[in-house]
Amino acid sequence: ELVLKVRIQNPNLRENDFIEIELDRQELTYKELLRVSCCELGVNPEHVQKIRKLPNTMLRKDKDVARLQDFQELELVLTVSDKNLLFRVPTLCEQSGYNKKASELTY
């Protein structure tokens, strides 16, 4: 697996943390990077204008994605500014593995 750090580009947010995503090294394509990133961040892929490798490099094709190395930082630059249009509720199969009940267990 290739582990990448991804976030939504938004200079107005006080906290704009990265999340880590994993991509299968056998499927290192731009389309797969876009799919996994949007799924994990809850963003509609149609609203992504570009993917930027920080600090200043735009990813455009599969060869660009194939050159990525573990823990590189990427940003999704979105095309729309209406917050109601940006985010969508992930379907059941897309929801993260977070389990609220498990996080409340005490040992």
Side-chain angles (χ1 to χ4, degrees):
E1 291 183 335
L2 174 67
V3 179
L4 300 170
K5 295 167 62 175
V6 182
R7 71 178 179 188
I8 297 169
Q9 185 269 333
N10 189 342
N12 298 325
L13 289 179
R14 175 180 266 179
E15 291 186 29
N16 194 15
D17 295 332
F18 289 93
I19 63 166
E20 291 182 355
I21 64 167
E22 297 86 23
L23 292 176
D24 184 342
R25 289 189 186 268
Q26 304 302 323
E27 297 181 32
L28 286 180
T29 64
Y30 184 89
K31 184 176 180 179
E32 183 66 5
L33 171 62
L34 180 63
R35 185 192 70 76
V36 172
S37 298
C38 288
C39 179
E40 291 286 334
L41 291 168
V43 174
N44 188 329
E46 295 175 1
H47 295 146
V48 176
Q49 179 181 3
K50 61 184 172 183
I51 300 175
R52 177 185 297 134
K53 181 176 76 170
L54 294 179
N56 58 5
T57 304
M58 182 173 63
L59 299 179
R60 301 172 296 134
K61 55 191 175 186
D62 293 349
K63 285 186 178 184
D64 297 341
V65 176
R67 285 191 290 268
L68 293 174
Q69 297 177 1
D70 278 330
F71 302 104
Q72 285 196 295
E73 296 178 344
L74 307 176
E75 283 185 333
L76 300 184
V77 179
L78 304 178
T79 58
V80 293
S81 59
D82 183 2
K83 291 179 185 174
N84 295 329
L85 293 175
L86 288 183
F87 300 99
R88 61 180 176 81
V89 177
T91 62
L92 185 59
C93 68
E94 295 174 330
Q95 291 179 0
S96 70
Y98 180 74
N99 183 336
K100 186 175 187 326
K101 289 183 181 179
S103 70
E104 295 173 349
L105 293 176
T106 56
Y107 295 94

